[in-house]
Amino acid sequence: MHDLYQELIIDHGTHPRRFGPLPEHTHHERGHNPLCGDDLTLYLKVEDGVIEKVRFEGSGCAISMASASLMAERLEGLSVDEAKKLFEKVHSLLSGTPVEGLGKIEALSGVCKYPMRVKCATLSWHALMGALEQSSEATEK
Amino acid sequence: MSKYRKDFPCYEHYPNLAYLDSAASSQKVACVLEAMTKTYTERYANVHRGIYHLSDIATGDFEAARVTVGKYFNANPDQIIFVRGATEAINLVATSFTQEFLQEGDEVIISRMEHHANIVPWYRLCHEKKAKLVVIECDAKGVLDMDAYRNAFNPKTKMVALTHISNVLGTINPAKEMIAIAKSHQVPILIDGAQAAAHIPVDISDLDPDFYTASAHKMYGPTGVGFLYVKKEHLKGMSPYQSGGNMIASVSFDDITYLEGPMRFEAGTPHIAGSIGFARACEYMMDVGMSYIQSHEQALLMYLQEQIETVDGLEVFGQAPNKIGIVSFAMKGVHPHDIASILDEDEVAVRAGHHCAMPLVKSMNQPALTRISLGLNNNERDIDQCIKSLKKVREIFSA
């Protein structure tokens, strides 16, 4: 089995889940890596502190797309605090610390051996943190 | 088998490396490194300053380097300015030359296939002066639209900056014709020779551009050094670029007189060992012979173009009839970074990305491309290794 390109990564990378717009989003953030061109926008619908719906759009390498897809699947139903804790765990995983209980996301563990590609995997997760730091667009409107 | 591969010490450390990224930066030949080490260990002091023996030796070697670089490009060494690289050279021309006369409403001609180094300085200058950047397009094969170029000239046209060879497409542009056309309109022209210098003969006296530049690091030489050729009639009128020591004739707090010639543009201590290494790289290529270099690389390009057809789902960009050993492609459904990562595991080094030519890559409707580029160090085995690995990418992504 390939370290980096596990079947699950290829699957999510080429057929990303939760892909598309989310007009009713309350938070959104763009993740852009100008050096490699990975570019995605993450949309969240947060209600009463719970992430109810997640979608993302954009283009990029299989690692960035798979990471965003796996993240989007996992986030739905989590509280904002749980999502922030999940970010910390994934951050550790991608830095080379074994982390348990991440389920499918653990398929990304091989990325830490490829320092040039870590930024691809973290792109959507940083967009998540950026989105959550903003105040709800719903209350602003 | 390239008989010159043994001249590249990187293969002693990575015997199985298929280095296919010479267009980004070439690997180095041993004689260049030896020349630089010798400078630093046996023949080093600052140049143009010391009265003592070592400074005299270093100055002699440094000025001899200018002569050698001039010889390689068939240009008068008195018109060769040592710079950090082609990027600095273009910035120098935009700042010390074009900026002096460009007016609001004037036009600067560039092309679709320029490297960012030959776009951004002109964009900035035009923006500052409220001048217009006129872009010459190229066709689907990657051939520059010469009719559009001919027709682009008008009384407002004040500068032309075009690449000799595209770093993405490999297209060899008709530099002599481009220069002649600019000259017929009395418009100064800069040719960016960064991709040309190590792969085709460049005869500056024959081409007769106003400015020509290349970087040593794409010519088997060191990083941090390159040259700018300036036509004599411009050299006198150009204002200094950076200022400081080495470029002045006299300094008082009331008045400063600048040196004439190349040194006026070489403020501070130059890259002495780098310039000597650059000259050694030029000598090396003259020893190998440009006709050998060209036939070797053209044979490899033919082989590569033939072999790459055997990989499914590839689209190759850049099919100009006249091109050097650069092949850029997209693989359906696979991002170039994924391709480059998988190739890397098989010790195949290729470039993936926008290649510092975003306007060109975007015009192909691709977010990024993978590029294979060839040099004197490559052989058929490198290509076989790359093709085999590309087929592996195909397998992984169609599973």
Side-chain angles (χ1 to χ4, degrees):
Chain A
M1 176 55 73
H2 201 282
D3 273 351
L4 194 56
Y5 294 99
Q6 297 190 23
E7 241 170 77
L8 189 74
I9 300 294
I10 300 290
D11 178 24
H12 278 257
T14 52
H15 303 98
R17 319 298 200 266
R18 308 287 193 276
F19 191 86
L22 184 63
E24 71 267 35
H25 67 265
T26 55
H27 298 71
H28 81 284
E29 176 78 356
R30 182 182 175 202
H32 182 216
N33 189 334
L35 281 180
C36 67
D38 290 345
D39 193 350
L40 58 84
T41 305
L42 179 71
Y43 304 102
L44 306 174
K45 186 181 177 231
V46 181
E47 243 170 61
D48 302 327
V50 175
I51 300 171
E52 298 210 323
K53 239 177 171 182
V54 184
R55 289 287 184 277
F56 75 100
E57 291 181 302
S59 65
C61 65
I63 304 298
S64 67
M65 289 293 111
S67 183
S69 170
L70 291 164
M71 180 187 84
E73 269 196 344
R74 175 74 180 231
L75 285 178
E76 286 186 0
L78 295 190
S79 71
V80 169
D81 285 344
E82 285 168 331
K84 287 180 179 169
K85 278 179 195 146
L86 182 65
F87 170 86
E88 294 302 331
K89 280 188 177 178
V90 173
H91 201 268
S92 300
L93 180 82
L94 295 173
S95 314
T97 315
V99 181
E100 287 185 359
L102 285 175
K104 283 199 239 173
I105 294 171
E106 287 170 34
L108 289 167
S109 64
V111 178
C112 68
K113 290 181 213 154
Y114 301 81
M116 302 295 284
R117 304 305 300 281
V118 170
K119 63 186 188 328
C120 308
T122 54
L123 186 67
S124 55
W125 294 89
H126 285 295
L128 168 68
M129 295 305 277
L132 291 177
E133 273 166 25
Q134 295 156 15
S135 53
S136 169
E137 292 168 33
T139 54
E140 279 171 7
K141 279 170 196 165
Chain B
M1 190 73 193
S2 167
K3 58 180 169 179
Y4 295 102
R5 194 174 174 100
K6 60 171 177 20
D7 298 338
F8 292 79
C10 66
Y11 295 114
E12 288 161 28
H13 302 274
Y14 299 96
N16 300 316
L17 174 68
Y19 188 78
L20 297 167
D21 198 20
S22 292
S25 197
S26 54
Q27 292 295 334
K28 309 308 166 200
V29 284
C31 64
V32 165
L33 308 176
E34 284 157 13
M36 291 175 72
T37 302
K38 188 165 181 156
T39 295
Y40 279 131
T41 51
E42 298 173 35
R43 305 175 70 83
Y44 187 77
N46 211 331
V47 294
H48 306 136
R49 286 167 181 68
I51 302 297
Y52 51 91
H53 182 59
L54 264 182
S55 178
D56 185 42
I57 289 180
T59 304
D61 288 355
F62 180 70
E63 288 305 325
R66 201 187 302 274
V67 172
T68 304
V69 171
K71 189 176 165 199
Y72 181 85
F73 291 98
N74 194 24
N76 183 346
D78 292 341
Q79 294 164 264
I80 298 281
I81 301 168
F82 281 124
V83 291
R84 278 201 301 140
T87 296
E88 184 175 60
I90 297 167
N91 277 279
L92 193 161
V93 175
T95 306
S96 293
F97 180 70
T98 316
Q99 184 173 254
E100 300 284 311
F101 57 78
L102 199 71
Q103 307 273 330
E104 183 171 344
D106 284 347
E107 297 183 2
V108 175
I109 296 178
I110 61 166
S111 86
R112 169 69 60 184
M113 61 172 91
E114 300 309 316
H115 186 281
H116 291 168
N118 203 27
I119 300 173
V120 182
W122 304 115
Y123 172 90
R124 291 187 64 196
L125 182 60
C126 287
H127 192 75
E128 184 193 309
K129 298 277 184 180
K130 297 193 172 70
K132 190 177 160 197
L133 204 55
V134 175
V135 180
I136 308 303
E137 299 292 336
C138 52
D139 68 14
K141 288 194 161 172
V143 177
L144 199 68
D145 185 344
M146 287 299 283
D147 287 332
Y149 174 57
R150 267 183 217 99
N151 295 330
F153 286 86
N154 66 56
K156 292 271 177 201
T157 310
K158 294 293 159 62
M159 184 75 206
V160 178
L162 294 170
T163 191
H164 200 164
I165 293 181
S166 160
N167 70 314
V168 176
L169 306 162
T171 311
I172 305 173
N173 285 323
K176 196 168 177 179
E177 199 186 341
M178 298 187 312
I179 293 162
I181 292 167
K183 199 181 291 179
S184 73
H185 293 277
Q186 286 98 45
V187 177
I189 178 167
L190 173 145
I191 301 291
D192 171 4
Q195 293 297 338
H199 305 287
I200 61 168
V202 175
D203 184 331
I204 288 180
S205 297
D206 178 53
L207 291 171
D208 198 25
D210 294 273
F211 304 95
Y212 196 99
T213 178
S215 299
H217 76 95
K218 293 190 206 288
M219 303 172 62
Y220 314 110
T223 53
V225 65
F227 83 97
L228 170 67
Y229 162 87
V230 180
K231 204 177 226 183
K232 224 166 211 152
E233 63 191 75
H234 302 312
L235 204 52
K236 274 203 162 175
M238 277 166 64
S239 52
Y241 179 54
Q242 292 189 335
S243 50
N246 201 46
M247 49 84 74
I248 41 78
S250 74
V251 174
S252 75
F253 291 120
D254 304 314
D255 189 42
I256 290 172
T257 314
Y258 303 111
L259 286 175
E260 296 293 339
M263 280 178 67
R264 173 190 280 234
F265 305 96
E266 294 175 356
T269 296
H271 192 353
I272 301 165
S275 307
I276 291 164
F278 181 13
R280 189 69 191 89
C282 289
E283 276 172 355
Y284 174 79
M285 280 188 286
M286 286 189 277
D287 288 346
V288 173
M290 192 42 85
S291 61
Y292 177 87
I293 292 173
Q294 278 188 295
S295 62
H296 171 75
E297 292 177 4
Q298 285 298 318
L300 281 181
L301 174 62
M302 298 262 281
Y303 183 67
L304 170 59
Q305 285 174 322
E306 180 189 298
Q307 290 299 308
I308 209 159
E309 292 288 316
T310 66
V311 186
D312 288 338
L314 287 196
E315 187 181 355
V316 174
F317 296 91
Q319 317 252 9
N322 219 357
K323 65 178 278 178
I324 61 158
I326 288 179
V327 172
S328 292
F329 61 90
M331 186 187 277
K332 202 168 190 296
V334 190
H335 192 281
H337 287 122
D338 297 315
I339 297 173
S341 272
I342 294 170
L343 263 55
D344 179 42
E345 290 176 355
D346 294 333
E347 292 190 69
V348 177
V350 295
R351 175 82 189 267
H354 51 58
H355 310 286
C356 295
M358 284 170 94
L360 176 65
V361 174
K362 282 214 168 131
S363 74
M364 299 163 170
N365 293 316
Q366 299 293 332
L369 293 174
T370 307
R371 178 184 69 191
I372 298 168
S373 56
L374 303 168
L376 184 59
N377 47 313
N378 291 120
N379 58 25
E380 288 193 0
R381 202 190 69 189
D382 293 335
I383 293 170
D384 293 340
Q385 197 173 328
C386 177
I387 298 297
K388 193 176 162 201
S389 196
L390 283 173
K391 288 178 177 169
K392 188 171 116 186
V393 175
R394 209 48 290 168
E395 261 171 50
I396 289 174
F397 272 82
S398 55

